[in-house]
Amino acid sequence: MSKKSFIKFLKVAIPLGIGILVIYYSLSAATPKERATLWKNIKGANPVYIAASLVFGTLSHLSRAYRWQYLLQPMGYHPKLSNRFMAVMAAYLANLGIPRSGEFLRGALLTTYEEVPFEKAFGTIISERIADFIMLLLVVGFAITLQTDMLLTYLKEQNINPLYTVAFLIFAVGGIVIGFKIIQRAQTGILVKLKNFMNGLIEGMQSILNMRNKWAFIGHTLFIWVMYVLMFWVIKFTIPEISYASTAVILAAFVIGSFAISVTNGGIGVYPISIGALFVFFGYSKEGGEAFGWIVWGSQTLLVLVLGALSFLFLPILNRKK
């Protein structure tokens, strides 16, 4: 195995291994009665609410695909909604294997099937992520406002510090800006090619400033995040104990899940167990909290697996002429 292949293997294996270890530790630490209760809660989940969650999730993905057009239009590109949607779902599926690989795949698929230059497509995806990160910060801020003392105490106990994420992003953006400045001064060699790529990337990112439909973009962004919260919130009715949880507690769990999902491939293991730990912190049973987390994670992961696989299948079929 080459060094490059080995590194790729580690990128998949390490997060996946962490997730499996977390699951093993959680289940082995539970008593037989606790495991039985957890499984009972999952099996007894009302499928109507799970179906509603899947509908909300699908609507969020569809809205994301539709919103993408507002960033592509200023550059003169008008890819079909079907291709945008399938690229989004294929990207989510790729993220289950290698975290954050989906963004690159999404741009590459648009290049392949809609002839949008990769650097420009990828630039629009970065702009999307910035908008989504702002929304996440707003949700975090609202959740903290509702449960300031308890949520901050929980984050401290779990050694989770969202400020580290913010600080990392600030340093990363600063490093990127400095790198851009250096590359922009290049006159020869590979740096010139890199400069041309960066210029296309910047053009894609700047598309958010040149949109004709800014309010429509903002509206879709709000809609996407409302759907995210709803697909999470509605699952509380599948667990009798959790069904009485307040909106503040559900939002707190949503915030924890948003950070936990990036730790392993698709949040496997860490996502449901982190959410379960938060519910325990708020006085709910571990079994009920973890069952809630597993149902949310399992249903949405299944949605991505199905729609992502179908997208990979139908993209080449529906774009044969291209």
Side-chain angles (χ1 to χ4, degrees), residues 78-256:
H78 304 274
K80 292 185 291 186
L81 176 60
S82 58
N83 282 343
R84 300 198 308 270
F85 178 73
M86 287 187 286
V88 167
M89 296 315 304
Y92 281 133
L93 180 59
N95 282 336
L96 293 180
I98 303 177
R100 296 306 168 197
S101 64
E103 280 76 3
F104 296 97
L105 175 64
R106 184 175 156 194
L109 289 174
L110 210 64
T111 299
T112 300
Y113 296 110
E114 292 287 354
E115 299 180 357
V116 178
F118 173 78
E119 62 274 16
K120 295 183 180 181
F122 190 64
T124 62
I125 294 170
I126 293 176
S127 294
E128 274 193 5
R129 290 306 182 189
I130 292 172
D132 289 329
F133 183 69
I134 292 172
M135 285 301 303
L136 176 59
L137 290 180
L138 290 175
V139 173
V140 169
F142 186 57
I144 290 176
T145 300
L146 294 177
Q147 295 282 358
T148 303
D149 294 336
M150 295 191 73
L151 188 56
L152 291 178
T153 300
Y154 173 78
L155 291 173
K156 184 177 180 180
E157 289 182 357
Q158 299 296 317
N159 294 317
I160 299 174
N161 190 344
L163 293 178
Y164 290 159
T165 302
V166 176
F168 171 78
L169 288 173
I170 292 174
F171 281 114
V173 170
I176 291 172
V177 170
I178 293 173
F180 276 177
K181 294 293 184 181
I182 295 173
I183 292 171
Q184 287 296 329
R185 296 177 180 177
Q187 299 295 328
T188 59
I190 193 172
L191 287 180
V192 173
K193 294 182 179 180
L194 189 57
K195 179 170 71 173
N196 293 333
F197 176 83
M198 291 296 184
N199 288 336
L201 190 66
I202 292 172
E203 183 180 352
M205 294 174 65
Q206 288 178 335
S207 63
I208 198 170
L209 303 175
N210 301 321
M211 286 187 299
R212 297 177 182 176
N213 302 293
K214 288 185 174 65
W215 287 109
F217 180 88
I218 293 172
H220 273 280
T221 301
L222 292 172
F223 179 81
I224 289 168
W225 281 84
V226 169
M227 291 300 102
Y228 282 167
V229 173
L230 283 177
M231 77 183 190
F232 190 90
W233 173 80
V234 75
I235 293 296
K236 80 173 191 172
F237 298 108
T238 64
I239 310 294
E241 176 190 3
I242 305 298
S243 64
Y244 298 101
S246 67
T247 300
V249 172
I250 296 298
L251 272 180
F254 178 83
V255 168
I256 294 301

Side-chain angles (χ1 to χ4, degrees), residues 28-81:
S28 62
T31 65
K33 183 179 179 180
E34 288 174 337
R35 288 194 292 269
T37 303
L38 172 64
W39 181 238
K40 180 182 177 181
N41 283 328
I42 294 174
K43 287 198 302 181
N46 190 326
V48 173
Y49 295 113
I50 295 176
S53 178
L54 292 174
V55 170
F56 292 139
T58 302
L59 288 174
S60 73
H61 302 323
L62 186 60
S63 181
R64 179 175 295 279
Y66 196 92
R67 183 186 67 172
W68 198 4
Q69 179 61 31
Y70 297 131
L71 295 172
L72 294 165
Q73 281 177 345
M75 297 183 292
Y77 301 108
H78 304 274
K80 292 185 291 186
L81 176 60

